């Protein structure tokens, strides 16, 4: 072989190898900082994300939907607080503020949260998006009831005065309406935040146990000790009320009249759940069927507030075909359905025209003929709860909508705040409840390896041609 040819090939191979090394290095140098910062950004957003869920489960009840503060409880969404040193904020959450309603949250201090979870909350307070946090709280069905308090029904209160120890019960009911209803719910029936007190299982507890819980609270939960706010007589009155709640007429302590908060996602979820679980009886558009009354009518919607609808749906209507959905659905899902139903109000007809189930039965003008004799009521297929399924009901909708919704939302209607451990490092909430990822800058969207690879191959081809040309010239 021509020695100059061999030399040329050697030079070419050397050139290509050098170029490959240079481009490999360039590629690495280019990508590494981006990879590292991408990973950091990812961690940051994951932290913020689980911070929002922790906030919803543990803090929103006192600090408000969007961290705006409720009553005497300070806001957390204020720039002054965000500018405080990280360690100071961390310490307040870790240890609480002694002698105030702000509990200690760290496991070391008897609370439910790990240091990592407290750091996530601190990150949220320093750099969180409070609107997105509010959406998360709503989507998890944990929106706090504001105002905190309610007025007892005056007629019923008077009737209660006639019971044995009536004055004690009356006073206890007033205390309950001002201090406990926001967490333990209307008539002591419980909420997503705290368990029912109007419950046989609680009535069975000893006076001593109840007095202890009321006086010292329940460590690591939202249940604070009340010895600072209530006198021993008041506490003993509360214990009397809890023990005799079965004698108190329902409606004595109405729910605060607070519309259920909604988000775009919660209404969409509510619509899907309604279609799957309610439309067979109440009609696809809530117009009613011979099986069940219309919900999409002015009279019903204006007379029944959100809390009342939630109570009906949760408890069912005993002795009728209307099931108690509280046994089968988490509170967040029931609230989503109520939010969906409420949307009908502005356009609700004065009089609803029930459709027939099965949809058959002639042209619309015949079906709409209100003078036709009422259809005989169809026998209703009982809805058998499926034991073992997450919600206790075979819920096609919940599964079709988004399985994570049921899995990620508090696992029971009585979701206990303070048990946020399960969410450590979790993705925090259903996919739709999560904040949108940050929009990348244009150069982040470029495929750098491809670009560099292309440039590399182009320049190799180019140098090959050059070398070939000069080789030809020599020959
Ligand atoms: C039972 C009601 C309650 C709950 C639940 C609660 N807080 Fe508080 N928090 C308070 C009160 C009351 C204060 C004001 C204490 C004081 O007077 O110094 C406070 C103060 C704070 C402060 C200091 C604010 C400031 O401006 O100095 C931070 C930070 C804070 N809370 C974070 C949280 C976090 C995070 C959670 C959830 C893990 C939480 N809180 C849950 C009642 C509560
Ligand atoms: C900030 C929310 C909140 C407020 C306000 C609140 N509680 Fe509670 N309460 C809870 C939670 C959460 C639990 C469950 C604690 C647990 O899991 O151990 C609880 C538990 C209890 C229990 C024990 C129930 C049982 O099954 O043993 C009693 C009794 C009780 N609360 C009474 C009251 C009374 C009376 C008031 C008003 C003076 C009140 N609570 C105010 C959240 C609250
Ligand atoms: C098996 C049939 C059936 C299903 C399924 C059903 N309901 Fe009902 N519902 C009824 C009947 C029957 C009534 C009327 C009860 C009565 O006579 O007071 C009723 C009553 C109601 C009421 C009170 C209406 C009023 O005018 O007072 C509401 C609200 C309601 N249902 C909501 C729902 C929701 C939400 C769902 C789905 C989660 C649902 N229902 C599923 C049969 C059903």
């Amino acid at each position: 072989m021509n020695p100059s040819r061999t030399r040329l090939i050697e030079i070419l191979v050397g050139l290509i190898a050098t170029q490959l090394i240079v481009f490999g290095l360039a590629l690495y140098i280019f990508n590494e900082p981006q990879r590292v910062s991408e990973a950091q950004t990812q961690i940051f957003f994951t932290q913020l994300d689980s911070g929002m869920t922790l906030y919803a489960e543990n803090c929103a009840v006192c600090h408000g939907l969007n961290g705006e503060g409720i009553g005497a409880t300070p806001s957390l969404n204020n720039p002054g607080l965000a500018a405080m040193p990280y360690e100071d904020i961390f310490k307040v959450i870790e240890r609480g503020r002694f002698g105030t309603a702000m509990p200690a949250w760290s496991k070391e201090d008897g609370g439910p949260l790990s240091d990592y979870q407290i750091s996530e909350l601190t990150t949220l307070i320093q750099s969180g998006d409070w609107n997105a946090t509010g959406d998360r709280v709503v989507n998890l069905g944990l929106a706090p009831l504001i105002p905190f308090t309610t007025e007892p029904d005056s007629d019923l209160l008077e009737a209660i005065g006639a019971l044995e120890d009536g004055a004690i019960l009356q006073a206890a009911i007033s205390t309950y309406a001002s201090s406990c209803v926001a967490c333990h719910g209307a008539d002591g029936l419980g909420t997503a935040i705290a368990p029912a007190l109007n419950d046989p299982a609680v009535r069975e507890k000893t006076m001593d146990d109840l007095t202890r819980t009321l006086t010292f609270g329940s460590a690591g939960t939202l249940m604070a000790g009340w010895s600072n706010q209530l006198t021993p007589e008041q506490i003993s009155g509360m214990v009397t009320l809890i023990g005799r709640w079965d004698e108190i007429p329902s409606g004595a302590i109405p729910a605060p009249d607070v519309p259920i908060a909604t988000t775009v996602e919660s209404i969409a979820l509510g619509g899907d759940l309604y279609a799957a679980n309610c439309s067979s009886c109440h009609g696809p558009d809530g117009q009613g069927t011979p099986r069940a009354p219309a919900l999409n009518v002015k009279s019903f919607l204006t007379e029944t507030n959100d809390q009342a609808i939630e109570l009906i749906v949760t408890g069912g209507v005993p002795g009728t075909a209307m099931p108690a959905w509280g046994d089968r659905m988490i509170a967040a899902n029931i609230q989503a359905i109520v939010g969906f139903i409420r949307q009908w109000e502005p356009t609700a007809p004065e009089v609803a025209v029930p459709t027939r189930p099965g949809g058959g039965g002639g042209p619309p003008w015949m079906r709409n003929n209100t003078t036709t004799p009422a259809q005989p009521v169809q026998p209703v297929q009982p809805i058998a709860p499926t034991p073992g399924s997450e919600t206790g009901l075979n819920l096609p909708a919940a599964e079709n909508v988004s399985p994570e919704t049921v899995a990620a939302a508090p696992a029971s209607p009585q979701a206990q705040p303070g048990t946020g451990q399960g969410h450590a490092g979790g993705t925090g909430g259903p996919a739709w409840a999560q904040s949108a990822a940050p929009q990348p800058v244009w150069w982040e969207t470029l495929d750098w390896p491809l670009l560099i690879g292309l440039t590399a191959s182009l320049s190799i081809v180019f140098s090959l041609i050059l070398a070939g040309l000069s080789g030809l010239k020599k020959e």
Side-chain angles (χ1 to χ4, degrees):
M1 208 198 251
N2 184 334
S4 73
R5 224 341 120 80
T6 321
R7 180 96 190 102
L8 187 67
I9 290 173
E10 281 171 7
I11 291 176
L12 267 182
V13 169
L15 201 73
I16 293 171
T18 321
Q19 270 179 338
L20 282 179
I21 291 170
V22 168
F23 282 119
L25 264 178
L27 195 81
Y28 178 77
I29 291 170
F30 229 99
N31 260 338
E32 186 55 12
Q34 197 194 340
R35 216 176 51 75
V36 170
S37 82
E38 257 170 21
Q40 281 169 345
T41 314
Q42 193 57 47
I43 290 173
F44 177 73
F45 280 102
T46 309
Q47 279 200 328
L48 271 187
D49 196 80
S50 30
M52 293 201 287
T53 301
L54 288 170
Y55 179 84
E57 290 172 341
N58 300 287
C59 324
V61 59
C62 290
H63 287 285
L65 191 61
N66 300 299
E68 75 280 17
I70 301 177
T73 309
S75 68
L76 298 185
N77 64 358
N78 72 74
L81 185 63
M84 247 167 77
Y86 180 91
E87 289 73 26
D88 293 359
I89 302 177
F90 188 98
K91 213 172 282 168
V92 178
I93 305 174
E94 184 184 26
R95 305 198 185 146
R97 286 256 170 88
F98 187 74
T100 76
M102 174 65 187
W105 291 94
S106 75
K107 291 209 167 106
E108 259 164 67
D109 290 275
L113 303 183
S114 68
D115 282 359
Y116 190 73
Q117 290 173 315
I118 294 176
S119 80
E120 291 175 327
L121 284 163
T122 310
T123 307
L124 175 74
I125 290 173
Q126 291 204 307
S127 2
D129 174 344
W130 287 101
N131 288 327
T133 305
D135 281 359
R136 174 71 52 87
V137 177
V138 171
N139 290 342
L140 291 175
L142 295 169
L145 294 178
I146 310 170
F148 257 157
T149 62
T150 179
E151 285 292 325
D153 182 286
S154 50
D155 293 344
L156 291 177
L157 199 62
E158 214 176 290
I160 290 164
L163 297 174
E164 189 196 334
D165 286 336
I168 293 178
L169 291 176
Q170 281 175 326
I173 282 175
S174 299
T175 306
Y176 183 90
S178 63
S179 303
C180 323
V181 69
C183 292
H184 289 287
D187 285 334
L189 293 173
T191 66
I193 290 165
L197 298 179
N198 178 4
D199 185 278
V202 182
R203 274 197 279 284
E204 275 163 22
K205 305 214 162 171
T206 64
M207 294 280 214
D208 282 354
D209 272 352
L210 292 172
T211 307
R212 203 171 312 121
T213 307
L214 264 168
T215 309
F216 302 111
S218 184
T221 75
L222 286 179
M223 180 63 192
W226 286 85
S227 53
N228 282 342
Q229 278 93 333
L230 303 179
T231 63
E233 292 72 43
Q234 282 176 311
I235 289 183
S236 116
M238 298 310 291
V239 172
T240 306
L241 167 65
I242 294 169
R244 293 177 53 192
W245 215 311
D246 50 346
E247 300 169 38
I248 307 293
S250 68
I253 310 168
D257 180 10
V258 187
I260 283 175
T262 56
T263 63
V264 175
E265 297 91 342
S266 73
I267 287 177
L269 174 70
D272 290 342
L273 290 170
Y274 179 89
N277 298 294
C278 322
S279 63
S280 59
C281 289
H282 290 284
D285 301 309
Q287 71 278 43
T289 70
R291 290 176 176 182
L295 303 176
N296 189 356
V297 281
K298 268 258 147 37
S299 55
F300 172 70
L301 288 171
T302 49
E303 279 163 23
T304 324
N305 71 28
D306 285 357
Q307 308 294 334
I309 300 182
E310 186 182 352
L311 267 186
I312 297 172
V313 179
T314 306
V317 183
T320 77
M322 173 65 187
W325 294 91
D327 302 341
R328 318 157 183 217
M329 264 188 211
I330 57 171
N333 287 357
I334 293 179
Q335 291 182 9
I337 296 176
V338 176
F340 172 74
I341 291 176
R342 179 59 65 196
Q343 271 200 308
W344 289 329
E345 187 169 3
T347 55
E350 300 291 337
V351 180
V353 182
T355 51
R356 290 187 212 172
W365 50 265
M366 255 176 86
R367 267 184 270 151
N368 286 353
N369 186 351
T370 42
T371 56
T372 41
Q375 292 290 315
V377 174
Q378 305 270 327
V380 172
Q381 291 286 327
I383 299 184
T386 315
S389 86
E390 181 83 31
T391 51
L393 174 72
N394 186 7
L395 267 184
E399 276 158 33
N400 291 342
V401 179
S402 66
E404 319 92 290
T405 307
V406 176
S412 78
Q414 306 299 356
Q416 291 305 302
T419 47
Q421 294 101 315
H423 290 263
T427 49
W432 48 264
Q434 286 171 19
S435 54
Q439 285 298 313
V441 199
W442 67 266
W443 48 265
E444 280 175 1
T445 62
L446 289 182
D447 193 343
W448 285 104
L450 190 72
L451 264 182
I452 293 176
L454 263 179
T455 323
S457 7
L458 270 178
S459 63
I460 290 172
V461 168
F462 193 62
S463 48
L464 270 175
I465 294 173
L466 270 185
L469 280 178
S470 63
L472 276 181
K473 238 187 229 161
K474 271 186 204 136
E475 267 174 49

